[in-house]
Amino acid sequence: SPLSSLMYAFCFTIPYGLILALGGLIGFFSKGSHMSLMAGVGCGAAMMALGTLSIEKFKKKESYAVFNFLSLLIAATVTGMMGKRYLDTKTIFPAAVTFLLSLAMASYLAYRLVFPHVPEKKAQD
């Protein structure tokens, strides 16, 4: 559809990564959680890096499906971790919010793997 053709995965992976990284920093500074710092900043930085690499491939009109797949693995892992945390703690924030955000991100990335953007080849002069 025309709308879905405008939405590239990197439009979401970079902001999602930023949210994860900020969440990790907030968890560290508010509760002293080293796990939040490592997991949030680590996963967030990886998502932002994968989004940036996707943009570079997109600009070259090359496939970036491998970066979408790696992003999906990260988002699915965060979904699982935060889903378990919600079941254990029953806290809405950050567990349920991060679970739902990550589930949405993983779902979109899975959709983009099934229905990828096929880069148009450069015209030959």
Side-chain angles (χ1 to χ4, degrees), residues 19 59-60 92 118-119:
I19 290 168
K59 288 178 181 176
K60 295 177 184 177
I92 299 298
V118 179

Side-chain angles (χ1 to χ4, degrees), residues 50-61:
L50 291 166
T52 302
L53 291 169
S54 295
I55 291 172
E56 295 303 315
K57 289 286 189 177
F58 173 78
K59 288 178 181 176
K60 295 177 184 177
K61 299 197 182 296

Side-chain angles (χ1 to χ4, degrees), residues 70-120:
L70 294 172
S71 297
L72 172 60
L73 292 179
I74 294 169
T77 299
V78 174
T79 301
M81 289 173 22
M82 295 310 281
K84 181 184 180 325
R85 183 168 170 197
Y86 172 72
L87 292 174
D88 291 345
T89 65
K90 302 292 189 233
T91 58
I92 299 298
F93 189 81
V97 172
T98 307
F99 166 75
L100 291 172
L101 179 65
S102 298
L103 181 62
M105 188 73 227
S107 299
Y108 182 75
L109 288 164
Y111 169 78
R112 274 294 159 224
L113 285 172
V114 174
F115 301 104
H117 287 107
V118 179
E120 296 177 20

